[in-house]
Amino acid sequence: MTPRPHRIAIAPSGFKESLSAARVAEAIATGVRRVIPDADLDLIPLVDGGEGTAEALALAGGGRLVPVTATGPVGDPVASHFALLGGPGPLTAVVEMAAVAGLALVPPDRRHPGATTTYGVGELIRAALDAGARRILVGCGDSGTSDGGAGALQALGARLTDRHGRELRPGGGSLHELEHIDPSGLDPRLADTELLVACNPYNVLCGKRGVARVFGPQKGATPAEVELLSAGLERLAAVLTRDLLPAFAPASGATALDLRTAPGTGASGGLGAGLASVGARLLPRYDVLLDGLDLDARLARADFVITAEGALDHQTVRGKIPAEVARRAQAAGVPVLVLAGTIGPGAQDVRAVGVDAYSAILPAPMTLVEAIGRSGEFLADASERAMRIMALGTRLTRLDPLAA
């Protein structure tokens, strides 16, 4: 009897500022086929709400991308987009915050999260409303902002003012001056729209694990700026709770929502809290984004799973794609390998959630520019190396049955 081909599920995330999830999956498949040409490969590129989410969901749902020019995170116009999905029910749009306020859109010399804004996110939501959407899914991830969604609220018509009645400057650095939010100018269509936010539930707005403290340094904030941003988000939560939440919470069922610490309020620099204050429902991102992929069944059919992400570290277990894939594969008893661009402190924690092995893809020290430019090549080579090591282990086990 001819043995059946190896069944391998390839379920990676994208590599930020480098490769989409689909291209990562294709690169891994290339490396696997160099060693196992007849492998039965199931490519399952995954998104987490960040870069590539709108396009991926449009492709999966028979929809299309709609180009829009909107305000970028540093205030300049950027070419952006949202997606309109196919299927029954109300017209659904996908707004990917990274496409208009992502870190990749912030030039390295302008990475000051106290000044960057989510204004463009609000503009995309309004554009989706103009297109007829009455169900809008906002994907959170890869943000370059820390303004608590204040900019998005301003673009949707709210007025955020200081004690002198002056409109606040863009960015989280001015939030500590916030005195009042006037909701009278908010787009009235929001009241008739289902607004859903796909977010990482581990991210909260305030406190010791507040979003400014956890992610502010990655976005360019100094220690002093982190404290200023944290104080501003505390102030924003208090004013949102007083001025906006009572009017919108009954519709969303969030009458007792704590904007400081509720799961997902810190998503995308606090965008989750800002949108929740106008009735958005904050949902665990994988419950929303993986719907329709039949991921659990596809992983269970595999003999082996390969997943990947750009950086494997202590944050991976807090809701990143490799941890989610490993958790689901472990439930089915399927082993998991993670390939990563870099491996940082805390990477070993992934073993506790079902990762059996992990490996970096870089063959030698190099500049970030070179690593990004050649990431597809390195992924294919790393996949080939991993398959050859596995093949060697299989041969050794056959030579020594007791080793099994």
Side-chain angles (χ1 to χ4, degrees):
M1 180 181 295
T2 303
R4 64 169 176 79
H6 294 277
R7 293 179 298 202
I8 302 174
I10 301 175
S13 70
F15 278 28
K16 293 180 179 62
E17 302 182 59
S18 177
L19 298 176
S20 69
R23 290 184 62 196
V24 171
E26 291 164 1
I28 293 172
T30 296
V32 171
R33 290 195 176 104
R34 292 174 187 169
V35 183
I36 315 174
D38 63 345
D40 180 3
L41 303 184
D42 185 7
L43 275 59
I44 320 171
L46 301 175
V47 291
D48 61 2
E51 294 174 7
T53 293
E55 180 179 14
L57 295 186
L59 290 172
R64 62 187 176 91
L65 288 181
V66 179
V68 179
T69 298
T71 303
V74 297
D76 300 329
V78 298
S80 188
H81 58 261
F82 65 92
L84 289 175
L85 306 186
L91 182 61
T92 298
V94 179
V95 168
E96 174 192 317
M97 84 85 59
V100 72
L103 186 60
L105 297 175
V106 184
D109 62 346
R110 299 181 70 179
R111 291 192 172 176
H112 306 296
T116 50
T117 178
T118 55
Y119 196 91
V121 178
E123 291 178 317
L124 291 187
I125 292 173
R126 293 190 74 156
L129 291 169
D130 291 342
R134 290 301 176 264
R135 184 175 185 266
I136 300 177
L137 172 64
V138 180
C140 288
D142 303 332
S143 72
T145 57
S146 191
D147 73 349
L153 292 175
Q154 289 172 315
L156 289 168
R159 290 192 71 242
L160 282 68
T161 55
D162 62 18
R163 62 190 181 92
H164 301 293
R166 298 174 300 203
E167 192 83 15
L168 287 192
R169 304 182 308 279
S174 65
L175 290 176
H176 66 284
E177 301 172 1
L178 179 63
E179 183 65 29
H180 178 64
I181 300 177
D182 177 3
S184 62
L186 279 168
D187 194 312
R189 295 173 294 182
L190 290 171
D192 301 317
T193 301
E194 184 180 17
L195 193 58
L196 308 174
V197 179
C199 55
N200 186 341
Y202 288 101
N203 293 342
V204 298
L205 189 67
C206 302
K208 293 181 179 179
R209 297 292 303 172
V211 67
R213 291 192 169 91
V214 174
F215 295 106
Q218 296 178 13
K219 299 173 184 180
T222 65
E225 288 170 336
V226 165
E227 294 309 311
L228 180 66
L229 290 170
S230 296
L233 293 174
E234 290 275 1
R235 180 60 185 163
L236 177 66
V239 179
L240 288 174
T241 300
R242 183 193 68 201
D243 293 350
L244 287 188
L245 196 59
F248 287 91
S252 63
T255 52
L257 185 66
D258 182 350
L259 293 180
R260 295 183 66 258
T261 60
T265 52
S268 290
L271 177 65
L275 295 181
S277 71
V278 292
R281 293 164 54 204
L282 306 183
L283 302 174
R285 54 187 172 181
Y286 298 123
D287 290 354
V288 180
L289 300 173
L290 303 185
D291 185 34
L293 288 179
D294 199 22
L295 181 60
D296 290 333
R298 293 168 75 176
L299 295 178
R301 286 195 294 267
D303 301 313
F304 178 57
V305 175
I306 303 175
T307 183
E309 73 169 334
L312 193 73
D313 55 28
H314 67 282
Q315 292 185 17
T316 302
V317 296
R318 298 179 62 83
K320 296 295 184 71
I321 281 176
E324 181 70 12
V325 169
R327 181 181 65 80
R328 293 170 182 251
Q330 184 182 52
V334 181
V336 176
L337 167 70
V338 179
L339 298 176
T342 60
I343 294 175
Q348 68 277 3
D349 296 346
V350 298
R351 295 194 181 100
V353 296
V355 172
D356 295 277
Y358 56 83
S359 178
I361 69 170
L362 297 184
M366 64 186 65
T367 66
L368 178 61
V369 172
E370 183 180 4
I372 290 175
R374 300 176 64 187
S375 54
E377 170 193 344
F378 294 150
L379 268 166
D381 292 346
S383 303
E384 178 184 355
R385 290 194 298 270
M387 291 301 101
R388 294 196 183 282
I389 291 172
M390 289 180 61
L392 175 61
T394 301
R395 290 177 61 189
L396 291 175
T397 299
R398 289 172 180 167
L399 291 173
D400 182 6
L402 295 179

